[in-house]
Amino acid sequence: MATVTLRIVPSPTPSPPVPVHGVNGFPVVGVVGGGQLARMMQPAAIELGVRLRVLAESPDASAAQVVPDSPVGDHRDPVAVSGFAAGCDVLTFDHEHVPGPLLEKLVADGVAVRPGPDALRHAQDKLVMRRRLTELGLPCPRWREVHTWDDVTAFAAELSAAGGSGQVVLKTPRGGYDGKGVLVLSVAAGAAGGSADDVETAQRWLAAADADGLLAEERVAFDRELAVLVARSPSGQAAAWPVAESTQVDGVCREVVAPAPNLDEELAARATEIGLTLAGELGVVGVLAVEMFQVSAHGETRVLVNELAMRPHNSGHWTMDGAVTSQFEQHLRAVLDLPLGDPRPCATWSVMVNVLGGDHPDLYRSYLHVMARDPGVKVHMYGKDVRPGRKVGHVTVSGGDLDDCLSRARHAADFIRGVIDE
Ligand SMILES: Nc1ncnc2c1ncn2[C@@H]1O[C@H](COP(=O)(O)OP(=O)(O)OP(=O)(O)O)[C@@H](O)[C@H]1O
Ligand SMILES: [Mg+2]
């Protein structure tokens, strides 16, 4: 069983916000962005008696359907965001796309922005994140800032010379998600290899990049992907859930198993330590997800950090049904500087499988079969229109037998999606 940590780190400036906007002394938490993460904060907010407000992209956004106080506004518009913040005790996020300068201005105006812009930029910009990880001496794939195709091929040649595959992954530093903004190239050493399409895409990205350029990194031949999920409060308390294993298909998370099966205890402790170190060093407030690669070489297994997210994360959805404290409740506790909840799992295994949009727009018709067949499946739907490949919901099965949990959760997700009919 992976290590679970709950610790108090003394802080020089504990800062419980004094609520002024809620009713009966309860605070109002404002969430910028109305996606499924904001939506799933609502049940936790209801239980805690905390009022949630959402700055939504549209009146029918996933979270706007369940949070009555959801004004519509653009997260890049300083007037919309500061007007929204004026009615909240604490501001937090459903995504990391709010521009840094806008948040800095809010902080200067006295708004409690959690996580703050100094921490958040490490989740907004993959080059900033790679630089900081390298400064902190934390392990990540070999990387390079690149501006031209020559930079890319030179980097590939260096990787080959160092004994690697020479394969390069090119990433846009900002704005990517679900594999968008990630391009795996098979660039042969010193030559402009790769498929013609990829080379063309890479050159288009390079031409469109701003002065910072793009992130090129070594394509890692990983054993599997791990996710470390921690939460940290402004007072410096931190809690870590067990390390989970996540599986991505075409850059999109497909399923998560917690705790990661057969994970060496020392490696789990090391991965958790990296998550807690990052949360502390970057001054994260709220949930931090650290996506990692598990790699083996020369008889040694270690982890490399892939990327960071500073909000509840897909790799932590299992905690809603499988842990004492869900990531959504923990995020609210952390941004309100309340003592954190127990992150321990309540079952031996939890398996979460995403429901990705398929060919059938009507998901509800599957409920009769799924629920009758297996009353133990927990179904979560996001109120989103079905589009192929889009995350529209997830299911979780917890229990004592991993294979049983896996097959039941996969069956339910496939059935809801419409790819199987029995
Ligand atoms: N250096 C690498 N080597 C091998 N595979 C990689 C590498 N970088 C990314 N990948 C694969 O692509 C997936 C998506 O990459 P990454 O997490 O950087 O992009 P993203 O689109 O920002 O993802 P997210 O939706 O998590 O924000 C990873 O989960 C992994 O499967
Ligand atoms: Mg990722």
Side-chain angles (χ1 to χ4, degrees), residues 78 98-108 117 124:
V98 184
L102 193 165
L103 295 177
E104 279 154 25
K105 171 81 170 57
L106 291 181
V107 172
Q124 292 179 314

Side-chain angles (χ1 to χ4, degrees), residues 280-293:
E281 290 286 341
L282 305 185
V284 178
V285 172
V287 168
L288 165 72
V290 185
E291 298 177 3
M292 298 185 185
F293 301 128

